[in-house]
Structures are given as structure tokens and as C-alpha cells.
Amino acid sequence: MAVGAKILTCSRIIPACLSTRVGKPKVSAGTFLSVVFFTLSFACNAAVSNTYLDSDNDSANYGKAVPILSSPLQVAVAANFAKPLRNIANDYFKKSGQEVSVTVSSSGTLFAQLTHGAQFDVFLSADTARPNALVEAGRVNAEDVHVYAKGRLAFLSSNTTASTPNFTAASLAGKKLAIANPKLAPYGNAAKQYLVNTNQWNIVSPHIVMGKNVLQTYQFFTTGNADYALVAYSLTLTDKQINEAGGRNTSGRAAAALLIPDTLHQPILQSLAVTAAADRKAAASAFARYLLSLEVQENLPNWGYQPANDSLPISVDSRIRENKEVNNSDTRGLP
Amino acid sequence: MLESSAFAAVGLTLKLAFLTSLLLMLLVTPLAWKLATWQHKLKPVFMSVLALPLVLPPTVLGFYLLVAFSPQSPVGEGWQWLTGHQLAFSFEGLVIGSFIYSLPFALQPLYSGFTQLDKRYVEVAHSLGFGKIETFFRIILPLCKAPFIVAFGLSFAHTIGEFGVVLMIGGNIPGETQVLSIALYEHVEALEYGQAHALSFGLLLFSFLLLTLLYRFNGKGGQAWSSISR
């Protein structure tokens, strides 16, 4: 585990090589050197990987059918899913021996990099539009695109007694509501839909500040600059301080997080695309299959996401009802 | 072709850059003068602190400004007490952020200009009975014209291209904090490449003209400078 984590950290250097590779001729000296370097470093780690396989034989069925790549699998992920993915990647490494290197950025940036030659093997977008755009551009096949998770929206308030938001001009005077940019971020779009559907958009819009993505929006709230925020529910769950200190966020400020019913906005579907080159595609598809497997999917509610497949009985809402102690303030205002 | 919000963003950016540069000239000139004559073993430390905005990644600088602007911090609280509204997500907040971000670009040219200035001119002026203000306007300003223009131009250009700090403390409010670089970023991220190209081209053309003017002045001033001081 510790070795795996170390390798993951080291391999985060790769995006730097990748970004310099964009738009250049196929094999530059730098690319060649980095390939040699990473092949060497992972040849050295092969022995370590094997011991994991031996000790974990019963669950090592993901790596068996596919060859393990000598260099780590390059997975590009939208910021909101970075934390779950790092954990999933770590588990995957333990089970299959396949290293996974995680590159975190916004879906838009990753998409632009992909369409300009970046060599990611799997692309986990925060929306369905960008993976579908890759299909339209002929970059990937339609069968290589799958919904891997459904996001949920949460309302954050610096007022611990807040219930479901019901804004009035008076209650908002001098206050700010942070949402992600609806044009750029699916969670921002969902937040806008929610405010429109509950007839609050016109009241709220003069008080809105926009973050470029849901993480930055969350920062506006945790630093105390915005009084309210609509962000990904997963963020409020993975912020340990909210959970452990009983309704306090990173800055130590009193805060409450409420799950917004998913009937009040269109579903926030997050899609992945297998973007690997032919020689790496088997390994990349295997990782995508692992992401879509029951084992991973039924754990998603712990990270604040709904499974991609509706037939799985577990939802974020039911998870909250089961574990009320996880975050007491989350249950208020729920049906 | 360009949306009206693009024009608002351009206007806001020019206003921000102009105000920031003006404030920098007003406040950094005395500072640079003091530093040029100051001799102390702590001077390198002080100079380094003032150059730090060059090193810190803009988004990191922006994050710390965001923390400082919070109504829970003394800075944010003091501002709220003084003005009645919060500092983050306001135009004033952007001016403060840009001031810190562009400070080295105003300070460095002025500082080197002042250190190269032959202090005998100032001494002679004083001995002839010129007051401090008269000395500044009649001796220092004409002699250091080039550094002043470069300092103003560089802070102006640097503020126009500012992105990371504004992104962190601005909140992307059209007409208030949505400057050109933010509007541009939004277009790129939303795959509206046509709008993005138009804005980028305008920004590049404007900056190119500004910098060309600046270098032209700098070249002329530099020549004039050497002929005066010898």
C-alpha cells in the first residue's frame, strides 16, 4: 500500500512530460528519455507489484486476463472525482498490479489536451458532453464511453440551523451564494437548474459568485467569503473536518450541508471515455470495467455519488438514513 | 461578432489596469526612492519580500488573498467595518490583489532608475533652495522619465494579463469582476473557440502595441538618459 502510494506520487510527474508533448513531432528526445526513465523505474518496482499479486490472489481477477503495462495507466479525471479515483486506483493496483497515474484538472482543460494529442488512457469527465464530443470527433468509439457515476448537489450554509434554501431578497442582503460556472461545470449547471426550478433564480442571481469549477466554489465557502454555496455533495463528505468535528468545515466555521433532492435538477451524469492507443487499450478497458464493476459502484454512495446503474438499490439518500451519525446536519430537510 | 459582455470585460480590464498602475505609481515611487538611498543589512531581506509576488504562483497568491479577505480575518473584517461591504468578489478587492501582484513590476524599474540617478543633481537642487516636492517635479521626474514610463507601462500590461489572482478572488461577476482574462478562459473552457480567438487576438494586438510603445520610449529615454548623466 505504502509502495503503491509512493509510485502513484512519483508518476504524477508524467503530466508535465505530457503537456510538453502536445503538438510536437511524434518522438522527441525528451519523450524518449521519459519513456526510458519510466520503463526503468517500473521494471525496478515489478518485484514489489508481484508480491501484492501473490498475497491478494483471490481478488486478482482484473489483471489476469489483460497484460500489465510497463508504464502506469494514465487516467485523467475531473477535479470533483479525484479523491474517489485515487482510492479506486490504489485498490486496483493492489488487485491487478497495474500502476495508475492520476492527472487532475477540469473536464474542459483535459478535453482540450486530449483533442490536441495528450496521451491519456482513460478520461473521466464530470459530464457526458465532452466524452460524447470525443465520439463525434472520431477520437473514440461510442462503445468506449460509459456513465460511471451520478453526482449529487449539496447546499452549504454558514448558518448551522439552515434548512432547505428558501431565499428572499431580505435574507440575502449583503450575502453571497457561490455556485460553479453553469457554462463550464455540470454542478454549476445543476445548481442553476435547481434555483430556476424552485423559482429562486431571479432573487439569487445578483448575489451569485462563480468558481471555475466546483472545487474553487467550495473554497469560496470554506474561506468564509461566501455565505452559501451549491456544490458537489461528494466534496462535503470528503472534507474530513466537516464530518469529524460535527458540522464544522476546514476553516473551523460553523456550517451545515444539505443534500438537494435529485428530482429538482437534471441528473448529473459523469461519463468516462477509453482514449488509449491500440497497444494500451486492453489495459485501459480493464480499468474502465473495474470502475463499472459492482464492487466499485456499490461503494460510490460513500463518496457522495449515486451508482451509474439505477438498478443498484443503494443511493446516497439511503446511505445517509443508515448512517445518521456520519453528518447529522445532512439529514435535515430530507424527505 | 463579440458579445456585449466582452466589451464590458474589456472596459473593466482597462479600468482595473489603469487604477492599479496609478495607485502603484503614487505609493511605490516614495518607497523606491527610500529604498534607493537606504543602507541597512536587512535591506536584501526587505527587497526580497517585495519581489515575492514574482515567485508565488498567481493562484496561490490569490488563495492567500481570499483567506485574508474573508470576513473572519482581520483584513476582511476591517474592510467590512470601514466600507460596509465585503472585500472578496468586489472591484476594490481586485485592485488590491492586482496592486500586490504587479508591485514588483512598478518597483524594479523605479528602484534601478533612482539608484542610477546622480544624487549631485538633487544635492544641488537642495542647496539652491528647492523644496522636496519641487525637487521631485523639476529634477527627479524629468531625469527619470524613462523608468517612470516603463514602471507604469509594465504594471499596466501585467495587470491586463492577470488571471490567477482575479480567478481566485473575483468570483466572475459580469461588469464587476469578470475581466478579460476570465471571460477568455470561460470561452475556451466552454469550447467557444470563435469568441476565444477574437478576444485573444484583440488582447494580443493591444498588448503588442502597448509594449512596442513602451520599448520605443525606453530606447529613447535610455539614450536621453546617458546624454544627461555624462
Side-chain angles (χ1 to χ4, degrees), chain B residues 98-114:
Chain B
S98 310
F99 182 91
I100 294 169
Y101 176 65
S102 294
L103 189 128
F105 288 79
L107 183 66
Q108 291 306 326
L110 287 179
Y111 175 76
S112 46
F114 291 158

Side-chain angles (χ1 to χ4, degrees), chain A residues 106 130 181 210 216 223 225, chain B residues 66 70 86 167 171 186 189:
Chain A
S106 71
R130 290 189 170 85
N181 193 329
M210 290 188 287
Q216 206 207 340
T223 53
N225 286 292
Chain B
L66 192 65
S70 156
Q86 75 179 110
L167 180 77
E186 195 178 291
E189 286 280 288

Side-chain angles (χ1 to χ4, degrees), chain A residues 29-273:
Chain A
T31 317
F32 179 71
L33 279 178
S34 65
V35 167
V36 170
F37 172 72
F38 282 108
T39 314
L40 277 176
S41 66
F42 287 108
C44 301
N45 283 320
V48 185
S49 310
N50 284 336
T51 56
Y52 277 112
L53 272 180
D54 292 341
S55 64
D56 224 3
N57 249 343
D58 49 329
S59 56
N61 36 5
Y62 295 102
K64 284 258 166 83
V66 283
I68 293 168
L69 297 175
S70 54
S71 65
L73 205 61
Q74 299 287 338
V75 179
V77 62
N80 77 77
F81 202 71
K83 271 190 192 171
L85 183 73
R86 287 217 173 93
N87 277 271
I88 293 167
N90 234 330
D91 290 346
Y92 187 67
F93 170 68
K94 276 189 254 166
K95 290 186 161 82
S96 69
Q98 174 62 58
E99 337 266 359
V100 177
S101 153
V102 176
T103 303
V104 184
S105 192
S106 71
S107 304
T109 305
L110 294 170
F111 175 82
Q113 288 172 346
L114 266 170
T115 50
H116 291 93
Q119 304 287 313
F120 295 119
D121 295 317
V122 183
F123 166 46
L124 276 74
S125 183
D127 61 5
T128 52
R130 290 189 170 85
N132 289 340
L134 288 176
V135 176
E136 273 166 42
R139 178 77 166 71
V140 299
N141 300 323
E143 65 265 25
D144 290 331
V145 172
H146 309 275
V147 174
Y148 65 90
K150 283 184 202 169
R152 289 298 297 271
L153 204 58
F155 173 70
L156 294 174
S157 165
S158 49
N159 179 358
T160 40
T161 58
S163 55
T164 318
N166 187 13
F167 293 118
T168 61
S171 74
L172 270 172
K175 310 234 160 154
K176 298 282 181 204
L177 166 69
I179 67 170
N181 193 329
K183 248 169 100 179
L184 311 182
Y187 285 92
N189 195 25
K192 186 176 173 180
Q193 284 170 355
Y194 164 72
L195 292 168
V196 170
N197 288 343
T198 52
N199 296 318
Q200 301 186 79
W201 178 251
N202 288 336
I203 302 165
V204 162
S205 53
H207 300 273
I208 278 181
V209 291
M210 290 188 287
K212 65 166 179 167
N213 58 34
V214 81
L215 273 178
Q216 206 207 340
T217 311
Y218 188 56
Q219 265 174 6
F220 284 162
F221 178 79
T222 52
T223 53
N225 286 292
D227 310 275
Y228 308 105
L230 282 162
V231 295
Y233 180 67
S234 54
L235 283 178
T236 69
L237 274 186
T238 47
D239 192 336
K240 286 229 161 57
Q241 266 127 17
I242 276 204
N243 291 332
E244 285 160 12
R248 292 208 166 242
N249 66 18
T250 328
S251 65
R253 215 160 52 104
L258 282 151
L259 195 61
I260 300 285
D262 56 1
T263 48
L264 292 173
H265 57 82
Q266 280 169 14
I268 307 166
L269 301 179
Q270 306 201 177
S271 278
L272 65 84

Side-chain angles (χ1 to χ4, degrees), chain B residues 74-147:
Chain B
V75 178
E77 201 184 351
W79 181 268
Q80 193 122 26
W81 180 77
L82 274 174
T83 65
H85 63 90
Q86 75 179 110
L87 196 47
F89 319 127
S90 71
F91 183 74
E92 293 89 336
L94 289 197
V95 174
I96 294 177
S98 310
F99 182 91
I100 294 169
Y101 176 65
S102 294
L103 189 128
F105 288 79
L107 183 66
Q108 291 306 326
L110 287 179
Y111 175 76
S112 46
F114 291 158
T115 45
Q116 284 167 36
L117 176 71
D118 196 332
K119 296 294 178 307
R120 279 175 299 183
Y121 291 111
V122 182
E123 283 158 20
V124 169
H126 281 315
S127 69
L128 291 173
F130 278 22
K132 272 188 181 162
I133 292 167
E134 203 175 4
T135 311
F136 176 77
F137 281 105
R138 292 182 63 178
I139 309 292
I140 300 170
L141 196 61
L143 282 178
C144 295
K145 201 168 110 193

Side-chain angles (χ1 to χ4, degrees), chain B residues 159-222:
Chain B
T159 310
I160 287 211
E162 176 180 3
F163 173 69
V165 175
V166 183
L167 180 77
M168 295 302 284
I169 60 177
N172 199 354
I173 304 167
E176 171 89 17
T177 60
Q178 193 190 65
V179 296
L180 192 58
S181 57
I182 301 284
L184 191 51
Y185 174 80
E186 195 178 291
H187 287 313
V188 172
E189 286 280 288
L191 312 179
E192 297 163 351
Y193 292 139
Q195 286 274 330
H197 293 332
L199 272 184
S200 313
F201 182 72
L203 179 66
L204 278 180
L205 193 72
F206 176 80
S207 310
F208 170 73
L209 289 175
L210 182 75
L211 288 170
T212 311
L213 268 175
L214 208 64
Y215 278 113
R216 201 165 154 262
F217 263 115
N218 197 20
K220 271 191 181 169

